[in-house]
Amino acid sequence: MDYSSKLLENAVEEMSQFPGIGKRSALRLILHLLNQPEEHTIDLAKALVKLRTEIKFCKSCHNISDTELCDICSSHKRHVDIICVVEDIRDVMAIENTQQYNGLYHVLGGKISPMDGVGPQHLNIQTLVDRVKNEDIHEVIFALSSTMEGDTTNFYIYKKLEGLAVKTSTIARGISVGDELEFADQITLGRSIMNRLPFEDALKQ
Amino acid sequence: MDYSSKLLENAVEEMSQFPGIGKRSALRLILHLLNQPEEHTIDLAKALVKLRTEIKFCKSCHNISDTELCDICSSHKRHVDIICVVEDIRDVMAIENTQQYNGLYHVLGGKISPMDGVGPQHLNIQTLVDRVKNEDIHEVIFALSSTMEGDTTNFYIYKKLEGLAVKTSTIARGISVGDELEFADQITLGRSIMNRLPFEDALKQ
């Protein structure tokens, strides 16, 4: 495409490096910036650069943090003997939003995926094993996505933790709350029947 | 949502100011930046700020440009007696890509839309009238979107140009090339029948 401006072309080029943003969307976003006051773009640029250059990751759980140890790891109100293993920090946010979990986290930074060249050595798995060994951890909850890669990663970590005195569990799979049975996929429906709960337990939730 | 980092929260806040990008997408884009080398974010920020602070608009046609007069206006290969009126610079790019037009442009910067508080005084209409008066323009082509706002703007400019020795035309509306008749809307189909072409003319295209 002919942008009639080298500056515009550069900006579109940079903007379209984001996943899911093509040249056309990038152009739309950038024209929006041009319609806004200059400070707007400068603020955006500053926020991005500041984040990228100053961001820290918690030295214990690898969650994103402004400090050495994240708010969750340094909180006194948390159960420090239970770790929930997640793929990335978005999952931490999602679980925190449910307000149903009060333990610690461990952010792997991805999942084992040979197709994408991601092996166990690229993930924060060893630090998890170290935490289980050195801290007084009673339970590790696997909360990875229910895909082949997620299951592989679960199993790899499970093997690594074998022999250590720690309980492992995985989050429940089943029909989403509010979903109709007829539209659920077979595997999910099958699992939700296998893992049925006593009705009295469900009533309490 | 709890971002567990003020830096992250700021960046998401800034990023979600773009039209069509919510907090969730903004977070996804920003996590992508965090997975890339630092230079990547710095380059992006630089490109955006450089564009926003240094960009010029052609003093004749208001197209985006790195110079006072854009490449199109300063080209010697263009027909300088015909002006195509468009809404914004994306339309210039779209028409340029067709390689079917060899005249000049005039970028209005929007269309008259009282609902959005956009009146004729906010658009580059007077400069168009001045161009027609002062330059040797034979034809003005209206190439605005076929909406109520587009039609209003067309008509407003048409009235402004009345009495000046200039031909006005509007781009053809009709069935898209490759589209099936049965799925076309009534108005478009109606217009394409009214504005039918001699078959010999169509054969030449």
Side-chain angles (χ1 to χ4, degrees):
Chain A
M1 209 187 282
D2 175 22
Y3 294 101
S4 72
S5 156
K6 202 75 198 145
L7 293 173
L8 180 64
E9 191 174 339
N10 278 348
V12 169
E13 202 65 54
E14 286 290 340
M15 203 73 179
S16 60
Q17 312 258 338
F18 281 113
I21 296 197
K23 294 261 163 108
R24 215 179 257 261
S25 317
L27 182 61
R28 193 173 52 86
L29 298 180
I30 283 168
L31 291 184
H32 170 80
L33 284 184
L34 290 179
N35 284 330
Q36 303 285 319
E38 226 170 90
E39 295 74 48
H40 187 93
T41 307
I42 294 171
D43 288 348
L44 168 70
K46 269 192 197 155
L48 293 181
V49 170
K50 201 169 156 65
L51 171 75
R52 187 61 191 84
T53 52
E54 296 182 15
I55 197 69
K56 292 188 190 71
F57 291 93
C58 173
K59 64 176 181 179
S60 175
C61 75
H62 309 288
N63 188 14
I64 210 165
S65 170
D66 292 345
T67 46
E68 283 265 291
L69 208 61
C70 76
D71 290 350
I72 295 172
C73 285
S74 55
S75 163
H76 294 297
K77 294 181 185 157
R78 292 273 176 168
H79 297 303
V80 295
D81 60 346
I82 175 165
I83 294 178
C84 180
V85 179
V86 294
E87 226 176 284
D88 68 28
I89 62 165
R90 267 181 298 179
D91 303 324
V92 175
M93 288 180 206
I95 296 175
E96 282 298 287
N97 275 338
T98 68
Q99 302 190 310
Q100 297 293 319
Y101 178 68
N102 198 25
L104 304 179
Y105 291 93
H106 194 88
V107 180
L108 294 177
K111 49 198 170 185
I112 297 172
S113 172
M115 293 283 282
D116 304 314
V118 181
Q121 73 278 15
H122 300 110
L123 304 176
N124 302 317
I125 292 178
Q126 191 51 49
T127 50
L128 172 65
V129 178
D130 294 343
R131 282 178 79 184
V132 173
K133 272 183 189 157
N134 302 328
E135 297 170 28
D136 195 19
I137 308 295
H138 286 119
E139 183 174 357
V140 170
I141 306 175
F142 296 124
L144 302 192
S145 25
S146 185
T147 58
M148 210 171 69
E149 289 85 4
D151 290 345
T152 307
T153 313
N154 280 343
F155 191 70
Y156 181 88
I157 299 174
Y158 173 75
K159 283 306 226 182
K160 278 275 178 189
L161 295 179
E162 235 177 7
L164 298 174
V166 66
K167 204 173 107 185
T168 49
S169 61
T170 173
I171 54 168
R173 311 291 178 186
I175 308 294
S176 294
V177 177
D179 260 14
E180 309 245 12
L181 280 207
E182 55 178 324
F183 301 122
D185 67 288
Q186 281 182 20
I187 299 177
T188 305
L189 188 53
R191 284 221 205 171
S192 78
I193 289 173
M194 283 193 309
N195 302 322
R196 61 195 176 278
L197 288 181
F199 192 66
E200 294 81 9
D201 290 3
L203 275 181
K204 287 179 210 145
Q205 292 178 346
Chain B
M1 211 186 282
D2 176 22
Y3 294 101
S4 71
S5 155
K6 200 75 199 145
L7 293 173
L8 180 64
E9 192 176 339
N10 277 348
V12 169
E13 201 65 53
E14 286 291 339
M15 204 72 179
S16 59
Q17 312 256 340
F18 281 114
I21 295 196
K23 294 259 162 106
R24 214 178 258 262
S25 317
L27 182 61
R28 192 173 54 86
L29 298 179
I30 283 167
L31 292 183
H32 170 80
L33 285 184
L34 290 178
N35 285 330
Q36 303 287 317
E38 227 170 88
E39 297 73 48
H40 188 94
T41 307
I42 294 170
D43 288 349
L44 169 69
K46 268 192 198 156
L48 293 182
V49 170
K50 202 170 156 62
L51 171 75
R52 187 61 190 84
T53 52
E54 297 181 14
I55 197 70
K56 292 188 190 70
F57 291 92
C58 173
K59 65 176 180 178
S60 174
C61 74
H62 310 288
N63 189 14
I64 209 165
S65 170
D66 292 344
T67 46
E68 283 265 292
L69 209 60
C70 76
D71 290 351
I72 295 172
C73 285
S74 55
S75 163
H76 295 296
K77 294 180 185 159
R78 292 274 175 166
H79 297 302
V80 296
D81 60 346
I82 175 166
I83 294 179
C84 180
V85 178
V86 295
E87 226 177 286
D88 68 27
I89 62 166
R90 270 181 295 179
D91 303 324
V92 174
M93 289 180 205
I95 296 175
E96 282 299 285
N97 275 338
T98 68
Q99 303 190 310
Q100 297 295 319
Y101 178 67
N102 198 26
L104 305 179
Y105 291 93
H106 193 87
V107 180
L108 294 178
K111 48 197 170 185
I112 297 172
S113 172
M115 293 282 283
D116 304 315
V118 181
Q121 73 278 15
H122 300 109
L123 304 176
N124 302 317
I125 292 178
Q126 190 52 48
T127 50
L128 172 64
V129 178
D130 293 344
R131 282 178 79 183
V132 175
K133 273 182 189 158
N134 304 326
E135 296 170 30
D136 195 18
I137 307 296
H138 286 118
E139 182 174 357
V140 170
I141 305 175
F142 296 124
L144 302 192
S145 25
S146 184
T147 58
M148 208 171 68
E149 288 86 4
D151 290 344
T152 307
T153 313
N154 280 343
F155 192 69
Y156 181 89
I157 299 174
Y158 174 75
K159 283 306 223 181
K160 279 273 178 191
L161 295 178
E162 237 179 5
L164 299 174
V166 67
K167 202 173 109 185
T168 49
S169 61
T170 173
I171 54 169
R173 312 292 178 185
I175 308 294
S176 294
V177 177
D179 261 13
E180 309 245 13
L181 279 208
E182 54 179 325
F183 301 122
D185 67 288
Q186 281 183 18
I187 298 176
T188 304
L189 188 53
R191 283 218 206 173
S192 78
I193 289 173
M194 283 193 308
N195 302 321
R196 61 196 178 277
L197 287 181
F199 192 67
E200 295 80 11
D201 290 3
L203 274 181
K204 288 178 209 147
Q205 293 179 346

